[in-house]
Amino acid sequence: MRAKWGKGVIVVMYIDYSKYPFALSQRELVELYVERPSVLASRDATLREKLSIIVKEIIERGELPYNACSSIEECVLLYYTILDLAKAIGDKWFQNRVALVYSKYASRSMVQESPEKLLLLGRKLGLEVLLVSGEPDIPKIPMVSKSGKVVRFVPCEFAVSVLSYLRVVSRRLIHDQSYNLINNIVKNGYVYLDQKTYQRVLEEAVLNTILSTIEESSPPLGLEEFTRLVADIKKLLVEGRREQYVEPIEKEKTQVAVKIELKSGELPIIEDLFPPCITRIISILRSGGNPSHVERFNLAAFLGSIGLDVDSVLEYFKTSADFNEKIARYQVEHILGIRGGKKKYLPYSCEKMRTSGICPIQEQCKGGKNPVAVYKYNIRKYLKTSKENKDADKAAGGI
Ligand code: SF4
């Protein structure tokens, strides 16, 4: 097996920064612009208008508008301005939304790219990665078709250093067992990935890069024009989220309270008694965060298992940065056994939650070996204590 594009090989290749603006580093940016992007954009009426169009689309549709900028320079300039605005506004939901929209947009563009271009993109994102060649020695993984009848061998041409790989996947992807090192080909400090998996890792690297760029950015808060721009974008954010997100959050609180009274014959829904793993996922969602696919699955399976219907489960997901009602409803209906094979899923066992990195505590919760059993135990204990307290109050009143 030999590495193509290893050290010492010079290949001229260009990156289209209109698709991948995050790949242009802050240092390269300084060479392109006399002033910083957010200063330029806040002083130019045309750029401000374009900025509003892009931000509106990001908030309302979770997309980047087609042909919103007229040149590569403009795309990069507007991208860095949006990042400065996201930092200045400080809304976690908006920051995650921006990162998700740009990473998904990049991911769709990556499908058209050559392996060499994907390699370059990975390196631009700070990954230590090689493109391997050398048939027939190139590592291959067997993939079984859906019917189970055809097996094809997929080449793993991308070798990412274990360190780079873990840095990218440790935030969310690692919850999915298929990204665990023991389920991948690891040799001489490199993880070997097929193109599809490498692209997914790149998408995650883009998301992480954007979020840390927002974190590290220092917007020109002293500039009057920029402060006015921040106020305009805040207005768009409030208007855009009012329709889609604010109302559902308020509705959710009352719904949960009503459920406790209405479902007297069933398991009462008391969020304070949810186990820590579930509470953690809910708090990520409520702070506008972006839980992993596996965390979302477990939350939906837990809520469905304790008796919530599809609409009530969806209320929990409405605050996520990438919420799409149509897709979310379809997935929740699957998990609750209303669609597809009509199989109702349970959340993972505590042991699997732990190996997937979703259990946030060291000890085992009391009451069982899975979150539903633990919740039932918490409820029984709560009801018993409430009854004992009532009896004690009665007895005290009788004296
Ligand atoms: S021990 Fe089980 S129920 Fe408790 S937090 Fe961990 S995974 Fe959840």
Side-chain angles (χ1 to χ4, degrees), residues 274-278 348-354 358-366 368-375:
F274 285 179
C277 51
I278 301 299
Y348 287 0
S349 66
C350 291
E351 195 187 337
K352 197 166 172 195
M353 292 285 254
R354 204 162 286 128
I358 308 178
C359 173
I361 59 168
Q362 298 293 326
E363 309 285 318
Q364 169 65 48
C365 288
K366 279 188 181 163
K369 299 281 187 236
N370 68 71
V372 176
V374 169
Y375 178 61

Side-chain angles (χ1 to χ4, degrees), residues 36-44 47-48 51 77-78 81 229:
R36 50 182 306 173
S38 42
V39 175
L40 277 175
S42 47
R43 284 180 172 157
D44 184 300
L47 288 174
R48 279 203 310 272
L51 201 69
L77 191 145
L78 292 173
T81 307
L229 189 59

Side-chain angles (χ1 to χ4, degrees), residues 72-93:
I72 290 178
E73 289 80 3
E74 202 174 273
C75 287
V76 176
L77 191 145
L78 292 173
Y79 163 77
Y80 275 102
T81 307
I82 291 172
L83 264 50
D84 267 355
L85 286 164
K87 174 70 184 284
I89 293 168
D91 180 310
K92 283 278 171 242
W93 178 88

Side-chain angles (χ1 to χ4, degrees), residues 1 132-142 153-159 185-187 191-194:
M1 204 185 305
V132 294
S133 62
E135 292 280 5
D137 298 329
I138 188 166
K140 288 181 182 153
I141 42 166
F153 288 86
V154 181
C156 298
E157 2 169 40
F158 294 92
I185 301 168
V186 182
K187 197 177 165 191
V191 189
Y192 289 82
L193 307 171
D194 64 287

Side-chain angles (χ1 to χ4, degrees), residues 226-237:
F226 183 75
T227 316
R228 269 205 300 275
L229 189 59
V230 170
D232 291 347
I233 300 299
K234 260 188 188 168
K235 218 169 133 205
L236 285 180
L237 193 57

